[in-house]
Amino acid sequence: MSDWKLHTPTGVNDILPEECSEKKEIEATIWAVMSAAGYKEVETPAFEYYDCYVGEGGQISQEAMFKFFDEQGRILALRPDFTTSIARMAATKAADKKTPLRYMYTGNVYRHEQTEGVRQREISQTGIELIGSYSYLADAEVISCAIEALLAVGIEEFSIEIGQVAFFNGIVEQAGLDEAMTEKLRERIDSKDSVGIKLLVKDLNIEENMKQLIIDLPYLFGDASILERANVKELNYTSKTALDNLKNIYDTLCSYGFEKYISLDLGMLQSIDYYTGSIFKGYTHGIGFPVCAGGRYDNLMGKFGAPKGAVGVAMG
């Protein structure tokens, strides 16, 4: 039998001095960028009541969480996500503070995560949350902070892909799809499964232009020209408003001088169900998973009794 005391569990690692020094340097560089933009450090508990992370608007599936019990038998969970904890903190401890609130954090989250065939269970993150604004300028601010941070740590070749959840939600609303059908369609669009998409939409009771738009969604990525292609005549108000929002974010980032780093992707539909508007991921060469990710989550604060617009980004 193995001597388990000599090994670390699957998905966690020791960090030796040289790598630890590099990690701390990267964190400090990112923090300098976020601090200069007006973000203030906060900390949240490493574990919370399980209820904090589940229910309507929950981000992480219960199967991905590490759960245990306190002495009263209540279910606790190791923090699988910073955003939900910070939303809870802001709603309960900072509800009377002047908005927008700008918070930054660093620490570990704990969940079952499959990345490039490797099971990760302890994941280091640094990120920011801007709480109390529904404006597209807040989305542009958070994305620009992520771009500045990537540049500051020496990553020069990267792309921030920006999508819009509300655009897809408007199409679903227009097509009258139920929750199960919506999830099937979302999965197929996000995985670029064109054959599966065609099979799902062929019998939908919607205009042919709308069917074709859904089929085309995985391929609607690039510069602002894709917004014109997506703005078909039959599109409803929800989806049209989402396209306008995406164009405003894109134009603002271009005005900041970041056009070379950004692209639009209407087929990017993340599984995290609390996102309500813009979503974005950052990719660089040689790494098959995002180096940063985030989005707008206008309904999450309401879960904790203090509805407010909010947007954030986490860097792994």
Side-chain angles (χ1 to χ4, degrees):
M1 293 181 63
S2 297
D3 191 347
W4 293 111
K5 68 176 177 288
L6 302 178
H7 305 279
T8 59
T10 301
V12 300
N13 296 290
D14 298 314
I15 303 178
L16 298 177
E18 183 177 345
E19 187 178 3
C20 192
S21 176
E22 292 176 358
K23 179 175 180 287
K24 295 299 182 184
E25 185 177 344
I26 290 170
E27 289 174 357
T29 301
I30 294 172
W31 272 56
V33 172
M34 304 310 187
S35 180
Y39 289 82
K40 305 296 184 185
E41 177 186 3
V42 294
E43 293 184 4
T44 60
F47 58 89
E48 303 224 24
Y49 288 114
Y50 173 66
D51 306 57
C52 178
Y53 299 112
V54 296
E56 186 177 353
Q59 179 189 14
I60 308 295
S61 69
Q62 63 168 318
E63 293 81 9
M65 286 187 249
F66 288 94
K67 301 178 288 291
F68 55 103
F69 297 94
D70 68 6
E71 61 274 19
Q72 279 81 42
R74 291 176 293 224
I75 305 174
L76 305 173
L78 283 176
R79 178 179 57 215
D81 161 59
F82 269 103
T83 298
T84 305
S85 292
I86 289 177
R88 189 263 315 146
M89 180 194 71
T92 57
K93 307 288 173 58
D96 58 345
K97 302 290 185 182
K98 183 179 178 181
T99 57
L101 305 170
R102 289 178 171 86
Y103 293 141
M104 63 180 178
Y105 60 85
T106 192
N108 295 335
V109 295
Y110 304 88
R111 58 178 184 250
H112 299 283
E113 188 83 6
Q114 192 77 25
T115 304
E116 292 294 284
V118 178
R119 177 72 69 184
Q120 291 185 298
R121 295 181 174 179
E122 184 177 37
I123 306 158
S124 295
Q125 291 186 343
T126 293
I128 56 174
E129 310 293 344
L130 195 161
I131 296 170
S133 174
Y134 293 94
S135 171
Y136 67 86
L137 293 174
D139 302 62
E141 177 183 316
V142 168
I143 295 170
S144 66
C145 280
I147 292 172
E148 294 278 12
L150 290 172
L151 291 170
V153 299
I155 301 175
E156 297 179 354
E157 298 294 329
F158 62 88
S159 174
I160 304 291
E161 299 179 4
I162 310 171
Q164 235 294 354
V165 170
F167 177 74
F168 175 72
N169 290 345
I171 292 174
V172 166
E173 170 190 311
Q174 194 166 344
L177 303 184
D178 60 25
E179 187 175 336
M181 182 64 167
T182 298
E183 181 57 19
K184 286 181 183 178
L185 185 59
R186 185 205 64 75
E187 287 178 351
R188 282 160 176 74
I189 292 172
D190 199 44
S191 62
K192 316 296 186 189
D193 178 6
S194 57
V195 174
I197 296 168
K198 288 177 182 178
L199 289 173
L200 285 176
V201 304
K202 68 177 182 178
D203 296 324
L204 294 182
N205 185 27
I206 55 175
E207 298 285 343
E208 287 302 317
N209 271 1
M210 291 298 297
K211 287 185 180 181
Q212 190 59 49
L213 175 60
I214 295 172
I215 292 169
D216 290 342
L217 274 180
Y219 311 103
L220 288 176
F221 57 88
D223 60 23
S225 64
I226 69 162
L227 302 178
E228 296 177 15
R229 291 169 54 196
N231 195 9
V232 299
K233 184 173 64 175
E234 293 82 4
L235 212 57
N236 67 5
Y237 176 80
T238 300
S239 292
K240 284 183 178 292
T241 301
L243 289 180
D244 290 340
N245 171 264
L246 196 52
K247 186 176 189 307
N248 287 334
I249 294 170
Y250 182 86
D251 288 346
T252 302
L253 289 168
C254 288
S255 74
Y256 295 163
F258 293 141
E259 184 174 2
K260 66 176 287 188
Y261 301 112
I262 57 176
S263 62
L264 304 180
D265 186 356
L266 291 175
M268 181 173 65
L269 300 171
Q270 296 177 208
S271 60
I272 296 171
D273 64 5
Y274 67 28
Y275 287 126
T276 59
S278 69
I279 53 175
F280 38 90
K281 294 181 180 180
Y283 294 93
T284 189
H285 298 301
I287 299 179
F289 52 89
V291 292
C292 66
R296 174 163 287 277
Y297 51 96
D298 287 344
N299 296 336
L300 186 59
M301 290 289 293
K303 173 183 175 180
F304 301 105
K308 289 181 177 69
V311 58
V313 63
M315 310 186 74

